[in-house]
Amino acid sequence: NAGVTQTPKFQVLKTGQSMTLQCAQDMNHEYMSWYRQDPGMGLRLIHYSVGAGITDQGEVPNGYNVSRSTTEDFPLRLLSAAPSQTSVYFCASATSGVAGELFFGEGSRLTVL
Amino acid sequence: AQRVTQPEKLLSVFKGAPVELKCNYSYSGSPELFWYVQYSRQRLQLLLRHISRESIKGFTADLNKGETSFHLKKPFAQEEDSAMYYCALSTGGFKTIFGAGTRLFVKA
């Protein structure tokens, strides 16, 4: 079982470029989410999904798009990268039920120049 | 608005000393609270959840609804407890928000 897999692990972009961070889970979890981790600010929720075809905004959604066409995949798109999006991004998934535990990927470190 | 506050960015204690990592939350509903831990070069992982009322690696946390707190405690800190600790609040529908985190450093 791979759990939650994120690619790429590292990426450097120039301002204005676009890219997609990939996230896949093999645990058949309904819930998936994206966070960004910044020093002194902890993890902030970007977008989340409670099932295929359903997505919603988190705390800091601006500049990011998501889609959930399958249960397994939840890609995060940056359409026009900005230096403020330099961060470490984490994908997480959870199964249904009360107080579901979040399972995290290893993280993707993105630098926007 | 839902919010999780961890007032200490860094907590440094000696091995064998008690440790308490503070967490306060703001939520009008019935909260589900968690502590997550990130050890060096490892994935973020669940440490414990309030609904289970369990002790993991000697850590406990009690939900105090009156003070809206969920502090993490351990009577005798170990060097291997050095890590980043995040308090988290689930507001239903699986949406989970995190505090800013506290870095615990246990000195030999």
Side-chain angles (χ1 to χ4, degrees):
Chain A
N1 250 358
V4 179
T5 303
Q6 290 181 233
T7 55
K9 287 189 169 51
F10 301 94
Q11 183 72 50
V12 179
L13 290 177
K14 293 181 180 176
T15 297
Q17 286 185 315
S18 63
M19 78 156 299
T20 299
L21 297 175
Q22 302 290 347
C23 177
Q25 53 91 9
D26 60 2
M27 298 173 283
N28 202 31
H29 285 171
E30 297 88 347
Y31 177 77
M32 295 185 75
S33 54
W34 277 102
Y35 291 87
R36 57 178 291 173
Q37 184 185 45
D38 301 291
M41 307 196 74
L43 282 87
R44 292 181 291 169
L45 182 63
I46 304 171
H47 285 285
Y48 63 102
S49 168
V50 298
I54 307 169
T55 64
D56 207 345
Q57 297 181 348
E59 303 166 274
V60 288
N62 292 342
Y64 307 95
N65 280 352
V66 292
S67 60
R68 184 94 181 271
S69 56
T70 67
T71 301
E72 294 78 20
D73 300 298
F74 191 46
L76 179 72
R77 296 184 187 85
L78 286 72
L79 297 178
S80 179
S84 61
Q85 293 178 304
T86 294
S87 187
V88 180
Y89 292 85
F90 288 96
C91 180
S93 71
T95 188
S96 61
V98 175
E101 173 184 354
L102 286 173
F103 292 84
F104 282 86
E106 291 182 300
S108 298
R109 183 175 294 274
L110 175 66
T111 301
V112 183
L113 303 174
Chain B
Q2 300 108 28
R3 186 183 302 140
V4 177
T5 303
Q6 293 179 251
E8 302 134 333
K9 283 191 170 66
L10 173 67
L11 189 61
S12 182
V13 301
F14 282 102
K15 177 182 171 182
V19 61
E20 181 180 51
L21 287 80
K22 291 185 167 48
C23 172
N24 288 90
Y25 67 91
S26 173
Y27 181 53
S28 58
S30 186
E32 300 292 348
L33 287 153
F34 307 81
W35 277 98
Y36 283 81
V37 61
Q38 189 174 28
Y39 300 104
S40 179
R41 298 190 198 88
Q42 292 189 27
R43 299 185 188 215
L44 201 66
Q45 58 187 282
L46 178 69
L47 179 62
L48 54 80
R49 68 192 91 187
H50 95 271
I51 198 170
S52 301
R53 303 185 67 81
E54 57 200 345
S55 173
I56 302 293
K57 298 184 179 182
F59 284 98
T60 59
D62 290 318
L63 175 60
N64 185 323
K65 290 188 178 180
E67 295 182 359
T68 59
S69 68
F70 188 57
H71 303 329
L72 183 69
K73 300 176 185 178
K74 184 169 183 177
F76 307 103
Q78 303 298 315
E79 289 180 75
E80 56 265 30
D81 296 329
S82 294
M84 193 75 177
Y85 291 81
Y86 291 98
C87 183
L89 167 69
S90 177
T91 60
F94 306 107
K95 181 179 175 183
T96 302
I97 60 173
F98 286 76
T102 298
R103 182 166 295 282
L104 175 65
F105 181 56
V106 181
K107 298 175 284 190

